[in-house]
Amino acid sequence: MQKLKQKPELLAPAGNLEKLKFAIHYGADAVYIGGKQFGLRSNAGNFTFEEMAEGVAFAKQYNAKVYVATNIIAHNENLAGAADYFKKLYEIGISAVIAADPALIQACKEAAPDLEVHISTQASIANWKTAEFWKNEGSPRVVLAREVSVAEIREMKEKVDIEIEAFIHGAMCISYSGRCVLSNHMTSRDANRGGCAQSCRWKYDLFENGVETDTEVSEEAEELYTMSSQDLSMVEHLPDLIEAGVDSLKIEGRMKSIHYVATVVNVYRTIIDAYFEDPDNYQLKQEWVDEIWKAAQRNLSTAFYYGEPTSKDQLYGKPERLPKYDFAGLVLDYDATTQIATIQQRNNFGVGDDVEFFGPNFHHFKQTITELYDEKGEPLERAKHAMMITKVKVDQPVVYLEMMRKQK
């Protein structure tokens, strides 16, 4: 029998307090969030100190951790208040900060010396000597560059006794480890200080070099070009990263929906637990792969983990049609006697719709809605109003915070 390694941490994104709670409820061991300063997702629902404190208190109920991203590349004007900020994070009970800029790392060490600093992917750590450097600087964990292969990870773990965090799912940046100035050029929004405009995702005409008139060569194309990469997914290869020694398996997506967070966390939680239950006889189940596609926004790729990406890992030409699902409702209660679930509406649904319920521990079932009532028990044809409380006859028992989705 293969010797079991320690289970790696499953680390999930949390763009706001509600997403934090769903990520942990659906199986995350830790979440990473952004505060009002020093983070790279200025458009996410970033946390106030009060919300951080509530998130930490919730996480503790599940023995989970909360990390805060402070991973901007700071300019002079960004340094003010850093010491007080890190001191406050430590007092709240944040388990670690994720940083890349040496000035912010130093500020944290001086103001809150007992607060762990994890070195961000923005530092582009792609070799074992760099990992060793950060270990010698006192950091217990490095978040690897996304351009690193499985073989390189294995070598790092063999040569350096340091925790390694690696991305397993989510969006990939066209620039090296996210260090991009395209957004700055196009929109004057600094991607390295939280203002990325996603310029690589825009559609562009293609022009041929050397032609004086810049003659367009994409006139007949059905779809304009982008510089955009496919999204990362290691759902079919997770044991490779576990066996290479990755300590924290990270999901990207602080700006993604609750449906995305719950779905993706649920799948990877299931895979990790299944692998550790019997690693010698572990087999990937197609239902896990199918579930990931229900949250996919783009085609999926293994990126750099098994060699240099090719054109097949880029989004060229007319995009494939992916299945799209709406988060239709959230289960608040269930009456076993009547088989009626109390559901908070999140998207329009009604009688005759085919829906799917899912929850933690990969509980799934599909049904057609045959009976729908309002909060007072009056029959309804459709739940049209946002956040309205409804009653739905369900085919199987459901529990609090399970979700109902429907295909668009």
Side-chain angles (χ1 to χ4, degrees):
M1 176 180 287
Q2 179 175 313
K3 183 180 178 181
L4 286 175
K5 302 175 184 291
Q6 182 177 346
K7 271 190 185 182
E9 173 185 86
L10 180 58
L11 177 56
N16 57 35
L17 190 56
E18 185 180 35
K19 292 175 187 177
L20 178 150
K21 293 178 178 179
F22 272 87
I24 293 173
H25 185 73
Y26 275 74
D29 300 303
V31 294
Y32 62 101
I33 67 176
K36 297 297 184 180
Q37 297 173 270
F38 307 114
L40 280 181
R41 290 292 181 269
S42 60
N43 291 326
N46 292 317
F47 286 61
T48 64
F49 290 134
E50 292 75 18
E51 289 170 333
M52 288 183 188
E54 184 176 343
V56 168
F58 180 87
K60 284 182 177 178
Q61 297 176 37
Y62 292 79
N63 294 316
K65 296 179 178 181
V66 179
Y67 308 142
V68 173
T70 56
N71 51 348
I72 66 167
I73 305 303
H75 289 235
N76 292 333
E77 63 267 25
N78 302 126
L79 297 177
D84 290 339
Y85 186 75
F86 289 120
K87 185 177 180 181
K88 184 65 175 179
L89 296 185
Y90 178 70
E91 292 170 350
I92 287 170
I94 297 300
S95 295
V97 295
I98 306 167
D101 192 303
L104 295 179
I105 293 169
Q106 187 63 30
C108 183
K109 288 181 177 181
E110 292 175 356
D114 292 327
L115 180 58
E116 284 191 7
V117 178
H118 298 171
I119 306 304
S120 171
T121 188
Q122 302 301 120
S124 301
I125 299 165
N127 65 79
W128 71 268
K129 289 294 288 183
T130 302
E132 185 179 62
F133 169 85
W134 286 113
K135 174 183 170 59
N136 293 337
E137 287 294 308
S139 293
R141 179 184 295 188
V142 293
V143 188
L144 296 185
R146 309 206 191 178
E147 296 76 20
V148 173
S149 70
V150 173
E152 288 172 318
I153 293 174
R154 189 177 296 111
E155 183 177 2
M156 288 182 194
K157 288 297 291 185
E158 289 170 353
K159 293 184 175 180
V160 187
D161 181 18
I162 193 169
E163 289 184 9
I164 282 181
E165 184 178 305
F167 283 93
I168 57 170
H169 198 91
M172 296 285 291
C173 183
I174 199 66
S175 296
Y176 206 97
S177 295
R179 297 189 300 184
C180 179
V181 293
L182 189 62
S183 174
N184 305 52
H185 176 71
M186 295 288 189
T187 67
S188 297
R189 287 170 51 181
D190 191 341
N192 294 298
R193 288 193 281 177
C196 181
Q198 302 279 308
S199 302
C200 62
R201 306 289 188 192
W202 301 353
K203 295 177 181 179
Y204 293 92
D205 290 327
L206 181 65
F207 294 87
E208 185 176 1
N209 287 334
V211 178
E212 289 184 6
T213 56
D214 283 335
T215 303
E216 187 179 341
V217 298
S218 59
E219 275 183 68
E220 306 301 321
E222 292 185 22
E223 184 74 12
L224 300 178
Y225 289 85
T226 71
M227 290 175 278
S228 183
S229 68
Q230 295 182 359
D231 285 356
L232 170 67
S233 176
M234 287 295 282
V235 69
E236 298 184 46
H237 308 279
L238 204 62
D240 288 352
L241 290 176
I242 295 171
E243 291 164 13
V246 174
D247 300 280
S248 180
L249 301 166
K250 186 172 192 175
I251 298 165
E252 181 275 339
R254 277 192 285 146
M255 296 179 69
K256 300 288 179 62
S257 69
I258 292 171
H259 174 255
Y260 170 92
V261 171
T263 300
V264 175
V265 168
N266 204 8
V267 171
Y268 283 106
R269 175 79 275 153
T270 302
I271 292 174
I272 293 167
D273 292 346
Y275 173 80
F276 276 86
E277 183 176 339
D278 189 358
D280 290 315
N281 297 300
Y282 168 83
Q283 288 188 328
L284 177 74
K285 293 184 179 181
Q286 185 59 42
E287 63 183 358
W288 301 338
V289 179
D290 294 342
E291 184 72 3
I292 279 291
W293 281 102
K294 293 175 183 177
Q297 297 179 326
R298 307 178 185 94
N299 283 348
L300 301 175
S301 162
T302 56
F304 289 82
Y305 279 126
Y306 300 102
E308 295 291 323
T310 68
S311 59
K312 294 180 180 179
D313 301 294
Q314 299 297 119
L315 297 177
Y316 290 126
K318 194 170 185 178
E320 293 184 25
R321 294 180 62 87
L322 300 178
K324 299 291 184 182
Y325 288 82
D326 276 332
F327 170 24
L330 178 67
V331 175
L332 300 181
D333 198 8
Y334 172 69
D335 186 327
T337 303
T338 61
Q339 294 183 292
I340 296 291
T342 302
I343 294 178
Q344 182 186 67
Q345 187 259 36
R346 292 300 182 98
N347 269 294
N348 188 312
F349 68 89
V351 174
D353 287 352
D354 294 323
V355 297
E356 179 182 16
F357 287 89
F358 71 100
N361 303 312
F362 216 76
H363 176 237
H364 285 70
F365 71 92
K366 296 179 181 180
Q367 71 164 72
T368 301
I369 295 179
T370 58
E371 297 180 32
L372 175 63
Y373 308 93
D374 67 14
E375 193 171 6
K376 297 179 179 178
E378 297 295 322
L380 283 176
E381 282 299 312
R382 300 206 67 78
K384 298 179 180 179
H385 305 296
M387 307 295 280
M388 71 183 293
I389 304 301
T390 67
K391 306 285 186 178
V392 177
K393 183 72 174 289
V394 291
D395 294 348
Q396 296 183 27
V398 291
V399 298
Y400 178 60
L401 293 189
E402 288 197 338
M403 302 172 77
M404 183 179 77
R405 64 159 73 104
K406 67 172 187 174
Q407 190 165 358
K408 293 182 180 180

